[in-house]
Amino acid sequence: EYTFTPTKTPDPDICAGGNDTTIVIWVNPTPRVRVTASDTVLCDGDPVTLQLRNPNVPIRGIWDGTLEITVDPGITGVTSQTIPFSGDAVYNYTLNNTSDEARSVTYHFMPRIRDDDGDWCNNGIDTTIVVWVNPVPDILVVASDTLICNEEVADIKVSSLKPYVRGEWYYELEVTPDPEITGARVGSIYPIDSISIQDQLINTDTAVHKVVYRFIPRIGPSDFDGDCENGRDTTVTIWVNPTPRIFVGFPDTIFCNNDTAVISVDDGLGVVYGAKEYTVTAVYGPGVNVISRSSGSIETLPAGTPITDIYINNTLEAQPVDYTFTPRIRDVREGYLGNYCYDGAITIRIWIHPTPDIQVSVADTIICDNSLVEIDVTSAQGGITGGSLVYDLVVTYDPVNVSGTITGSGE
């Protein structure tokens, strides 16, 4: 406020009593704006509230301004535009992010004051609020195989499909094994650098069983507000076949020449994923033949299928035949043909005796009364197994006119 008082000052007297003039100069404050945001890092689909307040009270004139909104591609729920404001206001938006990375909305508030004379104070202090919207948490999970053999390792690779977010990407893993499965890990929280899940799974049963892995992606926002838990979860089911098993039954392990053996091969498993089968191989030397089975050749049969073999021993001693039965489960899925689950072999040795043979010789077939007759019994047989070389003797004579014969008839 300026007051002007006119006076005249002749020497030595002063002339007072002039008319004063007062001029008042009003100075408006620098235009400002107060803005608060309910949150600045959102999850997809979250609401945000911006509260606008006029801090320039009182002023000489009118306080107003404009709000410029700039929207990144992929954001819905608001559009890029300019909105005037002239007082306290509240802006509510629900923002969605359809892209694969964090996107933002920029709210630029520019206040100004129009004084009573109609002049504009455009030297206001702008306020900018940037609201980030994280994408829907997503995850890429790839299992090397979803059907494995017993005691094999389930291998699952994990990566984030949303590499750029505002905050920390992580995932929760829920693991649900069947009671018959051991070796599966306990569910937990894993950071972004946990890119490999490897569990050695053991099936303690005779049927196929599973482990279910559920991957739930999350984003922990950089402002430490509530985590984004609306991710697209991924479930991977790993099936574990049992250890292949059969029961082999031979009627005996020692056979006579030209015997026929019916060998049972019973299925020892329940339901599996694949075809239950076994291979059989018989290995024998040149002195024996196994009808329908060449030495060393491999035959594949469905589990539960018996085999029938005939044995011929061409020598004078016992000959071995070594059988090897290998149970397995054959993968029948397209692209996996030729893959099998094995678990060792069953080896059984049987013996084939030669045809019994003896040579009988006597010095004379006509002798005198009271003479001694000697009959030599010899064998050209070689070694046998599991028994002794014996022969039956049958003596036929006239008991009225002949006496002194061997008493061991029939032994």
Side-chain angles (χ1 to χ4, degrees):
E1 180 177 305
Y2 299 88
T3 301
F4 297 87
T5 304
T7 60
K8 185 175 184 232
T9 57
D11 187 20
D13 298 325
I14 297 175
C15 297
N19 294 324
D20 295 350
T21 299
T22 299
I23 297 176
V24 178
I25 304 296
W26 289 91
V27 182
N28 274 319
T30 299
R32 296 176 182 272
V33 63
R34 296 284 186 268
V35 182
T36 58
S38 59
D39 199 353
T40 56
V41 182
L42 308 180
C43 300
D44 177 73
D46 277 356
V48 63
T49 298
L50 293 95
Q51 293 183 325
L52 169 67
R53 186 174 64 84
N54 173 16
N56 299 132
V57 179
I59 59 171
R60 293 298 298 263
I62 298 172
W63 179 91
D64 64 9
T66 56
L67 165 60
E68 289 184 352
I69 302 175
T70 305
V71 181
D72 282 350
I75 296 294
T76 62
V78 65
T79 58
S80 295
Q81 57 186 304
T82 299
I83 303 173
F85 60 82
S86 59
D88 294 351
V90 176
Y91 303 91
N92 293 303
Y93 300 98
T94 298
L95 303 179
N96 293 93
N97 186 349
T98 61
S99 74
D100 290 337
E101 60 184 33
R103 301 287 189 179
S104 67
V105 179
T106 301
Y107 299 89
H108 184 199
F109 295 85
M110 297 171 288
R112 64 182 181 174
I113 296 174
R114 182 182 180 184
D115 64 24
D116 295 337
D117 297 329
D119 296 325
W120 290 100
C121 297
N122 288 317
N123 61 335
I125 298 176
D126 297 355
T127 296
T128 299
I129 302 291
V130 178
V131 177
W132 288 92
V133 185
N134 275 315
V136 175
D138 213 343
I139 191 170
L140 176 63
V141 180
V142 179
S144 59
D145 201 348
T146 56
L147 175 62
I148 63 176
C149 301
N150 198 10
E151 300 185 13
E152 285 189 344
V153 174
D155 187 9
I156 304 173
K157 302 300 182 186
V158 182
S159 60
S160 170
L161 290 176
K162 308 294 173 67
Y164 178 67
V165 297
R166 297 289 290 194
E168 181 181 1
W169 182 94
Y170 66 95
Y171 64 92
E172 178 184 357
L173 176 58
E174 296 177 353
V175 183
T176 307
D178 285 350
E180 297 82 0
I181 297 293
T182 63
R185 70 186 57 207
V186 177
S188 185
I189 301 296
Y190 292 88
I192 190 171
D193 57 354
S194 294
I195 60 173
S196 180
I197 300 295
Q198 292 184 324
D199 288 344
Q200 184 179 24
L201 302 179
I202 300 173
N203 186 346
T204 61
D205 195 21
T206 56
V208 66
H209 290 285
K210 68 183 182 303
V211 180
V212 178
Y213 295 86
R214 181 172 177 240
F215 297 82
I216 308 166
R218 304 274 191 256
I219 296 174
S222 56
D223 61 358
F224 302 104
D225 207 345
D227 288 1
C228 300
E229 298 183 345
N230 59 335
R232 302 183 182 94
D233 62 322
T234 299
T235 298
V236 175
T237 300
I238 304 295
W239 290 93
V240 186
N241 268 322
T243 298
R245 185 170 69 162
I246 57 174
F247 299 105
V248 179
F250 275 80
D252 203 343
T253 56
I254 299 176
F255 294 90
C256 297
N257 198 8
N258 295 312
D259 270 358
T260 298
V262 178
I263 305 161
S264 63
V265 184
D266 296 331
D267 179 13
L269 298 179
V271 176
V272 302
Y273 279 152
K276 294 178 285 186
E277 61 186 29
Y278 70 94
T279 62
V280 56
T281 302
V283 177
Y284 49 87
V288 66
N289 289 331
V290 179
I291 303 302
S292 77
R293 196 173 307 285
S294 300
S295 179
S297 64
I298 299 175
E299 182 179 13
T300 301
L301 296 168
T305 303
I307 61 175
T308 300
D309 284 346
I310 301 173
Y311 307 113
I312 300 176
N313 188 341
N314 300 309
T315 70
L316 295 175
E317 60 184 29
Q319 298 290 332
V321 177
D322 292 316
Y323 280 92
T324 300
F325 296 84
T326 304
R328 64 188 188 182
I329 300 173
R330 176 168 49 88
D331 200 330
V332 297
R333 296 173 297 167
E334 186 176 353
Y336 291 86
L337 300 181
N339 289 354
Y340 298 90
C341 293
Y342 294 94
D343 187 59
I346 300 170
T347 300
I348 299 175
R349 167 170 282 194
I350 65 169
W351 289 90
I352 314 301
H353 277 151
T355 299
D357 190 21
I358 57 175
Q359 287 79 45
V360 180
S361 63
V362 61
D364 200 346
T365 57
I366 302 175
I367 63 174
C368 296
D369 187 28
N370 292 321
S371 296
L372 178 65
V373 61
E374 291 185 1
I375 305 173
D376 293 328
V377 180
T378 60
S379 173
Q381 215 95 59
I384 61 171
T385 185
S388 302
L389 288 171
V390 297
Y391 63 91
D392 291 336
L393 174 61
V394 178
V395 180
T396 304
Y397 61 96
D398 181 358
V400 175
N401 297 310
V402 177
S403 63
T405 62
I406 191 170
T407 60
S409 177
E411 296 180 358

